[in-house]
DNA sequence: CGCGGTCGTGCAGGATTTGAATGATTCGCC
DNA sequence: GGCGAATCATTCAAATCCTGCACGACCGCG
């Protein structure tokens, strides 16, 4: 091994996180989230609101606490998200009769329609994505995302 | 087509953005970014700092303005990022003699080492990712990310 | 030389999220 | 059956992050 000077370091293959999956996944994902947020503006929602609706639709939740765990956010944020969704008539807060500390969040028909609209927006993004991505790779990406998200509708947040 | 009541809607296949690539990509990416941020804490860096270093290493930039464009952030944020990196000795600000309004950001050897450490951290995340992802799918994910990021080291930010 | 435009910078403000404090309620345990 | 500890939802203040705007320095053209 020879001591390398700055010039020689520059000449070697670049050592950057751009070579890693995780870094680029983060880069792309953050951008995608931001893009989705702007497209969602017309519905008066943010991606987090949609995520909450998803959990409600796909598995339900006993309490806001559980919801917070599933979404990977603080319980106090769930309060804010639920406030907004309730104002829009997308959900209803119902005191759990069995445990009156808990609020059961119930998806309304309005909420179901809102979720369908949000899905529409995401589907539109998928189409745009498909323009720069061969079908085979899109399918592969799909499968990889399935694996990483655990394929259980439970986990919306990050694994680990 | 029959008018469906709430009950029947519940019984049909769920219509949610969880079926789309873009939504899950955003979900996962945001989580990955957050995870990388915490792992990066020891180095005193955030993912944005690393992204800036990446651009500098991979293609360089004539000005902070250009950097802002490549990173997809406001020029005033580049100032903050560069401030922090300069304090850590990772970069040097050099007035461009040809145009004294511009600052040339030069990567120092310290910056190179820091970037290598950040790469190390990302590589570690990749390994953890590989645990829940078959090798074939990881490769496919890699290829898809390449496509979506344009494979040019230019664009760090989101396409479009 | 002077004028419009560009660059970097400082700063105040908006948005987002968290953690601690509070009050209501429930549960374990005696 | 009752009391203390734990749990839930909520509020609030604070931290963080990022943007837009204003300002001063500087460029180039007429």
């Amino acid at each position: 091994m020879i001591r390398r000077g700055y010039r020689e370091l520059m000449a070697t293959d670049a050592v950057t996180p751009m070579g890693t999956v995780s870094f680029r996944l983060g880069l792309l994902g953050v951008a995608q989230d931001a893009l989705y947020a702007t497209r969602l503006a017309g519905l008066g929602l943010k991606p987090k609101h949609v995520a909450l609706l998803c959990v409600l639709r796909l598995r339900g939740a006993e309490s806001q606490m559980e919801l917070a765990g599933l979404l990977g956010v603080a319980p106090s944020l769930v309060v804010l998200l639920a406030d907004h969704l309730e104002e829009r008539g997308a959900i209803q807060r119902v005191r759990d009769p069995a445990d009156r500390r808990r609020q059961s969040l119930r998806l309304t028909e309005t909420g179901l329609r809102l979720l369908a609209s949000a899905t529409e927006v995401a589907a539109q993004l998928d189409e745009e994505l498909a323009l720069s991505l061969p079908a085979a790779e899109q399918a592969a990406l799909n499968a990889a995302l399935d694996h990483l998200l655990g394929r259980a509708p439970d986990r919306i947040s990050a694994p680990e």
Side-chain angles (χ1 to χ4, degrees), chain A residues 37-84:
Chain A
T38 70
R39 299 294 183 89
L40 227 39
L43 296 177
L45 296 179
K46 310 259 168 83
K48 291 253 163 88
H49 296 126
V50 177
L52 196 158
L53 293 177
C54 278
V55 177
L56 249 37
R57 178 71 179 87
L58 292 172
R59 76 183 296 282
E62 296 293 317
S63 64
Q64 294 183 188
M65 272 298 191
E66 187 184 8
L67 224 28
L70 292 170
L71 294 171
V73 301
S76 52
L77 180 56
V78 176
V79 174
L80 267 29
L81 295 173
D83 281 349
H84 188 239

CSV table of all heavy atoms in Angstrom, one decimal, chain A residues 37-84:
chain,number,residue,atom,x,y,z
A,37,ALA,N,-46.9,15.3,-1.6
A,37,ALA,CA,-47.5,16.3,-0.8
A,37,ALA,C,-48.0,17.5,-1.6
A,37,ALA,O,-49.1,17.9,-1.3
A,37,ALA,CB,-46.4,16.8,0.2
A,38,THR,N,-47.3,17.9,-2.6
A,38,THR,CA,-47.8,19.0,-3.4
A,38,THR,C,-49.0,18.6,-4.2
A,38,THR,O,-50.0,19.4,-4.3
A,38,THR,CB,-46.7,19.5,-4.4
A,38,THR,OG1,-46.5,18.6,-5.4
A,38,THR,CG2,-45.4,19.8,-3.6
A,39,ARG,N,-49.0,17.4,-4.7
A,39,ARG,CA,-50.1,16.9,-5.5
A,39,ARG,C,-51.3,16.7,-4.7
A,39,ARG,O,-52.5,16.8,-5.1
A,39,ARG,CB,-49.8,15.6,-6.2
A,39,ARG,CG,-48.6,15.6,-7.1
A,39,ARG,CD,-48.9,16.5,-8.4
A,39,ARG,NE,-47.8,16.4,-9.3
A,39,ARG,CZ,-47.6,15.5,-10.2
A,39,ARG,NH1,-48.6,14.6,-10.4
A,39,ARG,NH2,-46.6,15.6,-11.0
A,40,LEU,N,-51.1,16.5,-3.4
A,40,LEU,CA,-52.2,16.2,-2.5
A,40,LEU,C,-52.8,17.5,-1.9
A,40,LEU,O,-53.9,17.5,-1.3
A,40,LEU,CB,-51.6,15.4,-1.3
A,40,LEU,CG,-52.3,14.2,-0.8
A,40,LEU,CD1,-52.9,13.4,-1.9
A,40,LEU,CD2,-51.4,13.4,0.1
A,41,ALA,N,-52.2,18.6,-2.2
A,41,ALA,CA,-52.6,19.9,-1.6
A,41,ALA,C,-54.0,20.2,-1.9
A,41,ALA,O,-54.8,20.7,-1.1
A,41,ALA,CB,-51.7,21.0,-2.1
A,42,GLY,N,-54.5,19.8,-3.1
A,42,GLY,CA,-55.8,20.1,-3.5
A,42,GLY,C,-56.9,19.4,-2.7
A,42,GLY,O,-58.0,19.9,-2.5
A,43,LEU,N,-56.5,18.3,-2.1
A,43,LEU,CA,-57.4,17.6,-1.2
A,43,LEU,C,-57.3,18.1,0.2
A,43,LEU,O,-58.1,17.6,1.1
A,43,LEU,CB,-57.1,16.1,-1.2
A,43,LEU,CG,-57.2,15.4,-2.6
A,43,LEU,CD1,-56.8,13.9,-2.5
A,43,LEU,CD2,-58.7,15.5,-3.0
A,44,GLY,N,-56.4,19.0,0.5
A,44,GLY,CA,-56.2,19.5,1.9
A,44,GLY,C,-55.6,18.4,2.8
A,44,GLY,O,-55.9,18.4,4.0
A,45,LEU,N,-54.8,17.6,2.2
A,45,LEU,CA,-54.2,16.5,3.0
A,45,LEU,C,-52.7,16.5,2.9
A,45,LEU,O,-52.2,17.1,1.9
A,45,LEU,CB,-54.7,15.2,2.6
A,45,LEU,CG,-56.2,14.9,2.9
A,45,LEU,CD1,-56.6,13.5,2.4
A,45,LEU,CD2,-56.6,15.0,4.3
A,46,LYS,N,-52.0,15.9,3.8
A,46,LYS,CA,-50.6,15.7,3.7
A,46,LYS,C,-50.4,14.1,3.7
A,46,LYS,O,-51.3,13.4,4.1
A,46,LYS,CB,-49.9,16.3,4.9
A,46,LYS,CG,-50.2,17.7,5.2
A,46,LYS,CD,-49.2,18.7,4.7
A,46,LYS,CE,-49.6,20.1,4.7
A,46,LYS,NZ,-49.4,20.8,6.0
A,47,PRO,N,-49.2,13.7,3.2
A,47,PRO,CA,-49.0,12.3,3.2
A,47,PRO,C,-49.3,11.6,4.6
A,47,PRO,O,-49.8,10.4,4.6
A,47,PRO,CB,-47.5,12.2,2.8
A,47,PRO,CG,-47.3,13.4,2.0
A,47,PRO,CD,-48.1,14.5,2.6
A,48,LYS,N,-48.9,12.2,5.6
A,48,LYS,CA,-49.2,11.6,7.0
A,48,LYS,C,-50.6,11.4,7.2
A,48,LYS,O,-51.0,10.4,7.8
A,48,LYS,CB,-48.6,12.5,8.1
A,48,LYS,CG,-47.1,12.6,8.1
A,48,LYS,CD,-46.5,11.9,9.2
A,48,LYS,CE,-45.0,11.6,9.0
A,48,LYS,NZ,-44.2,12.7,9.5
A,49,HIS,N,-51.5,12.3,6.8
A,49,HIS,CA,-52.9,12.1,6.9
A,49,HIS,C,-53.4,10.9,6.1
A,49,HIS,O,-54.1,10.1,6.6
A,49,HIS,CB,-53.7,13.3,6.4
A,49,HIS,CG,-53.5,14.6,7.2
A,49,HIS,ND1,-53.1,15.8,6.5
A,49,HIS,CD2,-53.5,14.9,8.5
A,49,HIS,CE1,-52.9,16.7,7.5
A,49,HIS,NE2,-53.2,16.2,8.7
A,50,VAL,N,-52.8,10.8,4.9
A,50,VAL,CA,-53.2,9.6,4.1
A,50,VAL,C,-52.7,8.3,4.8
A,50,VAL,O,-53.4,7.3,4.8
A,50,VAL,CB,-52.6,9.8,2.7
A,50,VAL,CG1,-52.9,8.5,1.9
A,50,VAL,CG2,-53.1,11.0,2.0
A,51,ALA,N,-51.5,8.4,5.3
A,51,ALA,CA,-51.0,7.2,6.0
A,51,ALA,C,-51.9,6.7,7.1
A,51,ALA,O,-52.2,5.6,7.3
A,51,ALA,CB,-49.6,7.4,6.5
A,52,LEU,N,-52.4,7.7,7.9
A,52,LEU,CA,-53.3,7.4,9.0
A,52,LEU,C,-54.6,6.8,8.4
A,52,LEU,O,-55.1,5.8,9.0
A,52,LEU,CB,-53.6,8.7,9.7
A,52,LEU,CG,-54.3,8.5,11.1
A,52,LEU,CD1,-54.0,9.8,12.0
A,52,LEU,CD2,-55.7,8.2,11.1
A,53,LEU,N,-55.1,7.4,7.4
A,53,LEU,CA,-56.4,6.8,6.8
A,53,LEU,C,-56.1,5.4,6.3
A,53,LEU,O,-57.0,4.5,6.4
A,53,LEU,CB,-56.8,7.7,5.6
A,53,LEU,CG,-57.3,9.1,6.0
A,53,LEU,CD1,-57.7,9.8,4.7
A,53,LEU,CD2,-58.5,9.0,6.9
A,54,CYS,N,-54.9,5.1,5.8
A,54,CYS,CA,-54.6,3.8,5.3
A,54,CYS,C,-54.6,2.8,6.4
A,54,CYS,O,-55.2,1.7,6.2
A,54,CYS,CB,-53.1,3.8,4.7
A,54,CYS,SG,-53.1,4.4,3.0
A,55,VAL,N,-54.0,3.1,7.5
A,55,VAL,CA,-54.0,2.2,8.6
A,55,VAL,C,-55.4,1.9,9.1
A,55,VAL,O,-55.8,0.7,9.3
A,55,VAL,CB,-53.2,2.8,9.8
A,55,VAL,CG1,-53.3,1.8,11.0
A,55,VAL,CG2,-51.8,3.0,9.4
A,56,LEU,N,-56.2,3.0,9.2
A,56,LEU,CA,-57.6,2.8,9.6
A,56,LEU,C,-58.3,1.8,8.6
A,56,LEU,O,-59.1,1.0,9.0
A,56,LEU,CB,-58.3,4.1,9.6
A,56,LEU,CG,-58.7,4.7,11.0
A,56,LEU,CD1,-57.7,4.4,12.0
A,56,LEU,CD2,-58.9,6.2,10.9
A,57,ARG,N,-58.1,2.0,7.4
A,57,ARG,CA,-58.8,1.2,6.3
A,57,ARG,C,-58.3,-0.2,6.3
A,57,ARG,O,-59.1,-1.1,6.1
A,57,ARG,CB,-58.6,1.9,5.0
A,57,ARG,CG,-59.2,1.2,3.8
A,57,ARG,CD,-60.7,1.3,3.9
A,57,ARG,NE,-61.4,0.6,2.8
A,57,ARG,CZ,-61.7,-0.7,2.8
A,57,ARG,NH1,-61.4,-1.4,3.8
A,57,ARG,NH2,-62.3,-1.2,1.7
A,58,LEU,N,-57.0,-0.4,6.5
A,58,LEU,CA,-56.4,-1.7,6.2
A,58,LEU,C,-56.4,-2.6,7.4
A,58,LEU,O,-56.5,-3.9,7.3
A,58,LEU,CB,-55.0,-1.6,5.7
A,58,LEU,CG,-54.9,-1.0,4.3
A,58,LEU,CD1,-53.4,-0.7,4.0
A,58,LEU,CD2,-55.5,-1.9,3.3
A,59,ARG,N,-56.4,-2.1,8.6
A,59,ARG,CA,-56.4,-2.9,9.8
A,59,ARG,C,-57.1,-2.4,11.0
A,59,ARG,O,-57.4,-3.1,11.9
A,59,ARG,CB,-54.9,-3.2,10.2
A,59,ARG,CG,-54.2,-2.1,10.9
A,59,ARG,CD,-52.8,-2.3,11.2
A,59,ARG,NE,-52.6,-3.4,12.2
A,59,ARG,CZ,-52.8,-3.3,13.5
A,59,ARG,NH1,-53.2,-2.2,14.0
A,59,ARG,NH2,-52.6,-4.3,14.3
A,60,GLY,N,-57.4,-1.1,10.9
A,60,GLY,CA,-58.0,-0.4,12.1
A,60,GLY,C,-57.1,-0.3,13.2
A,60,GLY,O,-55.9,-0.8,13.2
A,61,ALA,N,-57.5,0.4,14.3
A,61,ALA,CA,-56.6,0.6,15.4
A,61,ALA,C,-57.5,0.8,16.6
A,61,ALA,O,-58.5,1.4,16.6
A,61,ALA,CB,-55.7,1.8,15.2
A,62,GLU,N,-57.0,0.2,17.7
A,62,GLU,CA,-57.8,0.3,18.9
A,62,GLU,C,-57.8,1.6,19.6
A,62,GLU,O,-58.7,2.0,20.3
A,62,GLU,CB,-57.3,-0.8,19.9
A,62,GLU,CG,-57.5,-2.2,19.5
A,62,GLU,CD,-58.9,-2.6,19.4
A,62,GLU,OE1,-59.7,-2.3,20.3
A,62,GLU,OE2,-59.3,-3.3,18.4
A,63,SER,N,-56.7,2.3,19.4
A,63,SER,CA,-56.5,3.6,20.1
A,63,SER,C,-55.6,4.5,19.3
A,63,SER,O,-54.9,4.0,18.4
A,63,SER,CB,-55.9,3.4,21.5
A,63,SER,OG,-54.6,2.8,21.3
A,64,GLN,N,-55.5,5.7,19.7
A,64,GLN,CA,-54.6,6.7,19.0
A,64,GLN,C,-53.2,6.3,19.3
A,64,GLN,O,-52.3,6.5,18.5
A,64,GLN,CB,-54.9,8.1,19.4
A,64,GLN,CG,-56.3,8.6,18.9
A,64,GLN,CD,-56.6,10.0,19.2
A,64,GLN,OE1,-57.7,10.5,19.0
A,64,GLN,NE2,-55.6,10.7,19.7
A,65,MET,N,-53.0,5.8,20.5
A,65,MET,CA,-51.7,5.3,20.9
A,65,MET,C,-51.2,4.2,19.9
A,65,MET,O,-50.0,4.3,19.5
A,65,MET,CB,-51.7,4.7,22.3
A,65,MET,CG,-51.5,5.7,23.4
A,65,MET,SD,-49.9,6.5,23.3
A,65,MET,CE,-49.9,7.4,24.9
A,66,GLU,N,-52.0,3.3,19.7
A,66,GLU,CA,-51.6,2.2,18.8
A,66,GLU,C,-51.3,2.8,17.4
A,66,GLU,O,-50.3,2.4,16.7
A,66,GLU,CB,-52.7,1.2,18.7
A,66,GLU,CG,-52.3,-0.1,17.9
A,66,GLU,CD,-53.5,-1.0,17.7
A,66,GLU,OE1,-54.6,-0.7,18.1
A,66,GLU,OE2,-53.3,-2.1,17.2
A,67,LEU,N,-52.1,3.7,17.0
A,67,LEU,CA,-51.9,4.4,15.7
A,67,LEU,C,-50.6,5.1,15.7
A,67,LEU,O,-49.8,5.0,14.7
A,67,LEU,CB,-53.0,5.4,15.6
A,67,LEU,CG,-53.8,5.6,14.2
A,67,LEU,CD1,-53.8,4.3,13.4
A,67,LEU,CD2,-55.1,6.1,14.5
A,68,ALA,N,-50.2,5.7,16.7
A,68,ALA,CA,-48.9,6.4,16.8
A,68,ALA,C,-47.8,5.4,16.6
A,68,ALA,O,-46.9,5.7,15.9
A,68,ALA,CB,-48.8,7.1,18.1
A,69,GLY,N,-47.9,4.3,17.3
A,69,GLY,CA,-46.9,3.2,17.1
A,69,GLY,C,-46.8,2.7,15.7
A,69,GLY,O,-45.7,2.6,15.1
A,70,LEU,N,-48.0,2.5,15.1
A,70,LEU,CA,-48.0,2.0,13.7
A,70,LEU,C,-47.4,3.0,12.7
A,70,LEU,O,-46.8,2.6,11.7
A,70,LEU,CB,-49.4,1.6,13.3
A,70,LEU,CG,-50.0,0.4,14.0
A,70,LEU,CD1,-51.5,0.3,13.8
A,70,LEU,CD2,-49.2,-0.9,13.6
A,71,LEU,N,-47.7,4.3,13.0
A,71,LEU,CA,-47.2,5.3,12.1
A,71,LEU,C,-45.8,5.7,12.4
A,71,LEU,O,-45.2,6.4,11.6
A,71,LEU,CB,-48.1,6.5,12.1
A,71,LEU,CG,-49.6,6.3,11.6
A,71,LEU,CD1,-50.4,7.5,11.9
A,71,LEU,CD2,-49.5,6.0,10.1
A,72,GLY,N,-45.3,5.4,13.5
A,72,GLY,CA,-44.0,5.8,13.9
A,72,GLY,C,-43.9,7.2,14.3
A,72,GLY,O,-42.8,7.9,14.0
A,73,VAL,N,-44.9,7.8,14.8
A,73,VAL,CA,-44.9,9.2,15.2
A,73,VAL,C,-45.3,9.4,16.7
A,73,VAL,O,-45.8,8.4,17.3
A,73,VAL,CB,-45.8,10.1,14.3
A,73,VAL,CG1,-45.4,10.0,12.9
A,73,VAL,CG2,-47.2,9.7,14.5
A,74,ALA,N,-45.1,10.5,17.2
A,74,ALA,CA,-45.5,10.8,18.6
A,74,ALA,C,-47.0,10.8,18.7
A,74,ALA,O,-47.7,11.2,17.8
A,74,ALA,CB,-44.9,12.1,19.1
A,75,PRO,N,-47.6,10.4,19.9
A,75,PRO,CA,-49.0,10.4,20.1
A,75,PRO,C,-49.6,11.8,19.9
A,75,PRO,O,-50.7,11.9,19.4
A,75,PRO,CB,-49.1,9.9,21.5
A,75,PRO,CG,-47.9,9.1,21.8
A,75,PRO,CD,-46.8,9.7,21.0
A,76,SER,N,-48.9,12.8,20.3
A,76,SER,CA,-49.4,14.1,20.2
A,76,SER,C,-49.6,14.5,18.8
A,76,SER,O,-50.4,15.4,18.4
A,76,SER,CB,-48.5,15.1,20.9
A,76,SER,OG,-47.2,15.0,20.5
A,77,LEU,N,-48.8,13.9,17.9
A,77,LEU,CA,-49.0,14.2,16.5
A,77,LEU,C,-50.3,13.6,15.9
A,77,LEU,O,-51.0,14.2,15.1
A,77,LEU,CB,-47.8,13.8,15.6
A,77,LEU,CG,-47.9,14.1,14.1
A,77,LEU,CD1,-48.1,15.5,13.8
A,77,LEU,CD2,-46.6,13.6,13.4
A,78,VAL,N,-50.5,12.4,16.4
A,78,VAL,CA,-51.8,11.7,16.0
A,78,VAL,C,-53.0,12.6,16.3
A,78,VAL,O,-53.9,12.7,15.6
A,78,VAL,CB,-51.9,10.3,16.7
A,78,VAL,CG1,-53.2,9.7,16.3
A,78,VAL,CG2,-50.7,9.5,16.3
A,79,VAL,N,-52.9,13.2,17.5
A,79,VAL,CA,-54.0,14.1,17.9
A,79,VAL,C,-54.2,15.2,16.8
A,79,VAL,O,-55.3,15.4,16.4
A,79,VAL,CB,-53.7,14.8,19.2
A,79,VAL,CG1,-54.8,15.8,19.5
A,79,VAL,CG2,-53.6,13.8,20.3
A,80,LEU,N,-53.1,15.8,16.4
A,80,LEU,CA,-53.2,16.9,15.4
A,80,LEU,C,-53.7,16.3,14.1
A,80,LEU,O,-54.6,17.0,13.4
A,80,LEU,CB,-51.8,17.5,15.2
A,80,LEU,CG,-51.5,18.7,16.0
A,80,LEU,CD1,-52.2,18.7,17.3
A,80,LEU,CD2,-50.0,18.8,16.2
A,81,LEU,N,-53.2,15.2,13.6
A,81,LEU,CA,-53.7,14.6,12.4
A,81,LEU,C,-55.1,14.3,12.4
A,81,LEU,O,-55.9,14.6,11.5
A,81,LEU,CB,-52.8,13.4,12.0
A,81,LEU,CG,-51.3,13.6,11.8
A,81,LEU,CD1,-50.7,12.2,11.6
A,81,LEU,CD2,-51.1,14.4,10.5
A,82,ALA,N,-55.5,13.7,13.5
A,82,ALA,CA,-56.9,13.3,13.7
A,82,ALA,C,-57.8,14.5,13.8
A,82,ALA,O,-58.9,14.5,13.2
A,82,ALA,CB,-57.1,12.4,15.0
A,83,ASP,N,-57.4,15.5,14.4
A,83,ASP,CA,-58.1,16.8,14.5
A,83,ASP,C,-58.5,17.3,13.1
A,83,ASP,O,-59.6,17.5,12.8
A,83,ASP,CB,-57.3,17.9,15.2
A,83,ASP,CG,-57.3,17.8,16.7
A,83,ASP,OD1,-58.1,17.0,17.2
A,83,ASP,OD2,-56.6,18.5,17.4
A,84,HIS,N,-57.5,17.3,12.3
A,84,HIS,CA,-57.6,17.8,10.9
A,84,HIS,C,-58.6,16.9,10.1
A,84,HIS,O,-59.5,17.4,9.4
A,84,HIS,CB,-56.3,17.9,10.2
A,84,HIS,CG,-56.4,18.6,8.9
A,84,HIS,ND1,-55.9,17.9,7.7
A,84,HIS,CD2,-56.8,19.8,8.5
A,84,HIS,CE1,-56.1,18.7,6.7
A,84,HIS,NE2,-56.6,19.9,7.1
